Amino acid sequence: MWATSQASRMCPVGRRVFIEHLEHYAKETDYPRLDVFVCTSDPYKEPPMCAVNTALSVMSYDYPTEKLSVYVSDDGGSKLTVFAFMEAARFAALWLPYCKKNKIVERCPEAYFRSNLSWFPETDQIKMMYENMRDRVEKAVQKGSICHDYIPNEGEGEAFSRWTDGFTPQNHPPVIQVLLESSKDKDNAGHTMPNLVYISRGKSATLPHHFKAGALNVLLRVSGTMTNAPVILTLDADMYSNDPQTPLRVLCYLLDPAMDPKLGYIQFPQLFHGINENDIYGGQLKLEFQIEASGMDGLVGSTYTGTGCFFRRGVFFGGPSKTPELNQDHLVNKSINSKEVLAMAHHVADCNFEKQTKWGTEIGFRYGSLVEDFYTGYMLHCKGWKSIFCNPKRPAFLGNSPINLHSTLNQLMRWSVGLLEVAFCRYSPITFGVKSINPLTGLCYAHYAFWPIWSIPITIYAFVPQLALLNCASIFPKASDPWFLLYIFLFLGAYGQECLEFMLAGETIQRWWNNQRMSTIRGLSSFLFGLVEYLLKFIGISTFGFNVTSKVIEEEQRKRYNQGIFEFGVPSPLFLPMTTAAVINLVSFLWGIVQVFKQRELEGLFTQMLLAGFAIVNCWPLYEAMVLRTDEGKMPVKITLISITLAWALYLASSIAF
């Protein structure tokens, strides 16, 4: 694993674009059309206002509005979400001209009003209208129904008639609602507004729906029948635009005549707002999302991370489609609200459309893994496409990161299962990838795909040396042995390299320390459980479902997170290996000290005591949560007692082995 990680350190690349030179290559009238895909699912885990803010931030891009279309995929099929976007469409008529008139940079309404960076005469009125909209949406979500007073006309009321008694999130016909049409709708300043389309794809309880990849493929087809823009942006519901000129940065690459014609997509880093000062959960994933991505950019380009990525539409099509409207060069010349276009859009959004087709295998976003983004980017690179990692000084997109440990680990466990699905598929990066792309890029992808097997060495080092220490057994070279220097060199070298990379990337030592701690925690929880889950799934015992990471934040959790306090709170099995390791490391270290005083011999046990001591320092938040804290975020007593029992059982088993 360490060797594969070095592949992304061979040719790191940093890039910079000059937007002011773009006018030499193209005028605004020559800009390609842009389709934006915003994916959301459960209105109770991903609040609709979160998706609304993301959509409004991209609708107000510094881009010709007649060339801009925003498609919202609601995979939960909730009328609460469509209501929220009806409200957003009305508010957009005020918000878009306000942003462009006053040259606002922060164009996500929630982030703008939270920052108070600039204030204009009409700001108070705009803020009041936004807060009124937010209150209506949040009240509707809280009640689970929409008040008739919130529906101003019969046209909007008819849209809700599709939610009949038999309509469920897993079994319903496609719902497509055009909320704004650029050829007809104007904002309050009389300017054209972008297209805004709500989509809930058809689902059947008897057919696989392929999670987010399936939703993206429906967006790809529906947008193809309506606007068929040559450039596509994919976004998660919580990943709002932080820079209105981001599409222009992308055009600097796409329109550059010197650029490789096989350039398929431009990936921006996943960055998050609301991260606490020292990033206690390592939520920024600095190594994976930035440092290693820059290294892959020097090869054939970074991988696709699921959000903040601009694609050429052509990368998703292996050839002409049997449906003429889905060909990448199909010219749409009808109103997106016309009967013909809507009929075709509903047809391609139906759950039966993909039967006996190559969607998900050779066309569109790839099926076969829970991490459809990683798998899709990997397969595009295998097909010969290139990509670019664009990391401007001002973040292009900002999202929400989990602020409690359980949500963080749950998300990583799902990723682990998906990555292993790629690692052991017929197109494994370590075999197929090395041959199809190039050896270094294949190793980069292999490093990501086999990420969960870090759980094996981490689990061994968390338990075996310490159990040996409890049994007074030395398993490492003595401190006077020359081989001891090799262990110390590897230990300090690996941690030193990572610390140096963090410092060069502008991070603090405290953030690096928290990141390496989370690496250990991930290995003893998410990666370990993900590996077991994959093995069970492989032999047909269990299957892993797609769980949306909750974006709902409780005030007390936020307060503790901002103070840098770990949040446990729930009695999750994910906590058991780490708490058991914490108990064993503490007891073994104390026992080792006793043995040193008894036998006056430290040399033979030094390495094991060093490991146990290092683990104790890393485990301080666990000890604090298990013993010292009284708040709701402390470690549940049940988990603590089970961990002590498991530690005792492991000691008894080890006493037989040693």
Side-chain angles (χ1 to χ4, degrees):
M1 288 300 294
W2 179 85
T4 56
S5 72
Q6 302 313 299
S8 60
R9 271 75 175 176
M10 297 298 178
C11 353
V13 166
R15 299 178 186 269
R16 183 183 173 193
V17 298
F18 300 89
I19 296 175
E20 61 273 17
H21 296 168
L22 185 60
E23 61 184 20
H24 300 308
Y25 292 91
K27 299 177 181 178
E28 279 197 8
T29 54
D30 299 324
Y31 289 176
R33 294 184 308 282
L34 171 63
D35 287 345
V36 182
F37 299 166
V38 179
C39 295
T40 187
S41 179
D42 187 336
Y44 296 100
K45 288 186 176 181
E46 291 182 322
M49 281 306 300
C50 190
V52 162
N53 274 281
T54 296
L56 289 170
S57 70
V58 294
M59 288 169 68
S60 52
Y61 268 150
D62 287 339
Y63 205 79
T65 50
E66 69 276 6
K67 292 176 178 282
L68 181 62
S69 301
V70 177
Y71 294 86
V72 180
S73 170
D74 175 19
D75 226 26
S78 173
K79 58 184 177 182
L80 301 173
T81 303
V82 73
F83 167 70
F85 277 92
M86 286 176 176
E87 291 283 328
R90 285 191 286 272
F91 178 72
L94 291 168
W95 180 246
L96 270 59
Y98 172 76
C99 289
K100 293 179 180 179
K101 172 188 172 185
N102 298 304
K103 297 182 179 178
I104 305 297
V105 176
E106 196 82 75
R107 296 191 182 178
C108 166
E110 187 69 31
Y112 173 71
F113 294 123
R114 185 173 61 232
S115 65
N116 294 322
L117 292 176
S118 54
W119 221 250
F120 302 95
E122 65 270 47
T123 302
D124 288 327
Q125 180 190 2
I126 298 287
K127 183 180 181 182
M128 182 183 68
M129 297 194 70
Y130 171 73
E131 290 175 346
N132 289 339
M133 173 187 69
R134 183 179 61 192
D135 290 343
R136 288 192 295 272
V137 172
E138 290 178 350
K139 284 179 182 177
V141 173
Q142 188 176 7
K143 292 180 179 179
S145 61
I146 301 157
C147 178
H148 290 293
D149 295 339
Y150 294 165
I151 304 173
N153 57 64
E154 292 183 5
E156 291 188 1
E158 288 179 5
F160 298 110
S161 64
R162 303 172 194 178
W163 276 264
T164 60
D165 292 338
F167 193 109
T168 67
Q170 298 301 324
N171 198 352
H172 61 83
V175 178
I176 300 174
Q177 185 73 25
V178 177
L179 302 173
L180 289 174
E181 186 176 1
S182 63
S183 62
K184 295 180 180 178
D185 293 299
K186 308 289 183 183
D187 62 28
N188 282 18
H191 301 135
T192 299
M193 296 185 73
N195 295 315
L196 177 62
V197 183
Y198 168 90
I199 301 166
S200 182
R201 58 178 169 142
K203 283 187 178 181
S204 171
T206 61
L207 293 173
H209 53 82
H210 302 294
F211 309 113
K212 185 181 173 184
L216 285 167
N217 280 336
V218 170
L219 287 173
L220 198 59
R221 295 195 295 268
V222 171
S223 65
T225 65
M226 289 185 158
T227 49
N228 206 35
V231 182
I232 292 169
L233 164 63
T234 64
L235 288 175
D236 286 340
D238 65 322
M239 191 66 65
Y240 68 82
S241 170
N242 189 55
D243 182 357
Q245 293 195 315
T246 297
L248 305 183
R249 296 185 186 279
V250 171
L251 292 187
C252 288
Y253 294 112
L254 295 181
L255 301 181
D256 186 349
M259 195 58 62
D260 191 329
K262 292 293 287 182
L263 174 62
Y265 63 89
I266 295 96
Q267 176 68 59
F268 288 83
Q270 281 199 49
L271 299 172
F272 305 96
H273 65 89
I275 295 284
N276 67 0
E277 182 182 0
N278 293 319
D279 191 11
I280 57 173
Y281 300 139
Q284 290 282 18
L285 290 172
K286 190 79 175 183
L287 278 174
E288 294 76 19
F289 285 164
Q290 295 180 59
I291 295 173
E292 290 175 353
S294 296
M296 290 187 72
D297 196 17
L299 302 171
V300 298
S302 68
T303 186
Y304 170 43
T305 60
T307 185
C309 188
F310 289 80
F311 289 94
R312 292 187 194 270
R313 184 179 288 268
V315 303
F316 296 112
F317 297 91
S321 171
K322 293 181 181 178
T323 306
E325 289 84 358
L326 296 183
N327 286 324
Q328 56 181 316
D329 55 355
H330 168 64
L331 182 63
V332 180
N333 52 16
K334 295 180 181 178
S335 165
I336 63 172
N337 221 356
S338 66
K339 288 183 179 180
E340 297 87 348
V341 170
L342 285 175
M344 179 55 67
H346 280 83
H347 172 63
V348 300
D350 189 77
C351 57
N352 293 301
F353 180 82
E354 291 186 357
K355 283 184 177 179
Q356 297 180 339
T357 69
K358 295 182 179 180
W359 281 94
T361 54
E362 296 181 20
I363 304 174
F365 294 84
R366 301 305 198 261
Y367 302 152
S369 171
L370 287 173
V371 285
E372 78 297 319
D373 45 10
F374 175 80
Y375 191 35
T376 298
Y378 166 60
M379 292 307 296
L380 289 177
H381 279 151
C382 287
K383 294 287 186 182
W385 292 100
K386 306 291 180 64
S387 63
I388 280 174
F389 180 65
C390 185
N391 188 13
K393 287 185 178 179
R394 180 178 178 86
F397 303 97
L398 289 174
N400 291 328
S401 180
I403 65 166
N404 69 73
L405 186 61
H406 185 254
S407 294
T408 301
L409 298 180
N410 236 346
Q411 183 182 56
L412 288 166
M413 184 172 73
R414 177 172 61 82
W415 290 358
S416 298
V417 177
L419 289 169
L420 289 170
E421 288 172 336
V422 178
F424 294 105
C425 73
R426 61 182 294 194
Y427 301 112
S428 176
I430 202 68
T431 54
F432 186 83
V434 167
K435 293 185 293 183
S436 299
I437 314 173
N438 59 58
L440 286 179
T441 304
L443 289 176
C444 288
Y445 272 108
H447 178 74
Y448 285 122
F450 288 97
W451 204 24
I453 70 168
W454 273 119
S455 60
I456 298 173
I458 289 175
T459 303
I460 290 173
Y461 272 91
F463 288 101
V464 175
Q466 293 78 0
L467 291 170
L469 182 59
L470 284 171
N471 289 277
C472 300
S474 176
I475 60 173
F476 289 113
K478 293 183 177 181
S480 58
D481 192 319
W483 283 105
F484 171 77
L485 297 177
L486 175 63
Y487 280 84
I488 294 298
F489 170 76
L490 293 174
F491 181 83
L492 296 178
Y495 278 98
Q497 178 189 359
E498 190 179 285
C499 181
L500 179 62
E501 288 175 338
F502 260 70
M503 299 297 289
L504 292 175
E507 297 291 347
T508 63
I509 289 182
Q510 184 63 53
R511 282 203 167 198
W512 163 76
W513 178 262
N514 288 334
N515 186 79
Q516 65 81 27
R517 172 195 285 145
M518 277 304 300
S519 295
T520 303
I521 289 176
R522 288 194 294 261
L524 289 171
S525 54
S526 305
F527 293 168
L528 182 61
F529 277 77
L531 180 59
V532 172
E533 180 70 33
Y534 171 76
L535 293 174
L536 291 174
K537 181 180 177 181
F538 182 76
I539 60 178
I541 292 178
S542 172
T543 57
F544 194 96
F546 183 91
N547 292 315
V548 177
T549 304
S550 178
K551 307 301 191 303
V552 178
I553 297 173
E554 295 181 6
E555 192 59 34
E556 286 301 313
Q557 284 188 14
R558 169 60 70 182
K559 185 178 178 182
R560 287 192 288 270
Y561 177 72
N562 289 338
Q563 293 172 347
I565 300 173
F566 271 63
E567 184 75 31
F568 296 95
V570 296
S572 171
L574 283 168
F575 298 151
L576 283 174
M578 70 178 83
T579 49
T580 304
V583 171
I584 286 179
N585 276 270
L586 178 60
V587 174
S588 66
F589 184 76
L590 296 176
W591 179 252
I593 292 176
V594 171
Q595 293 305 306
V596 168
F597 279 105
K598 271 187 177 182
Q599 302 176 11
R600 304 290 180 181
E601 172 63 36
L602 174 63
E603 194 177 38
L605 302 177
F606 178 77
T607 307
Q608 286 152 268
M609 290 190 65
L610 176 66
L611 277 173
F614 183 73
I616 289 171
V617 176
N618 258 334
C619 287
W620 172 249
L622 294 174
Y623 300 130
E624 187 181 44
M626 294 165 73
V627 180
L628 302 178
R629 286 168 55 186
T630 58
D631 57 77
E632 292 183 0
K634 69 177 182 179
M635 184 70 71
V637 175
K638 180 180 178 181
I639 295 294
T640 302
L641 293 177
I642 294 175
S643 298
I644 294 172
T645 305
L646 287 173
W648 177 250
L650 285 171
Y651 167 68
L652 292 178
S654 68
S655 62
I656 297 173
F658 285 102

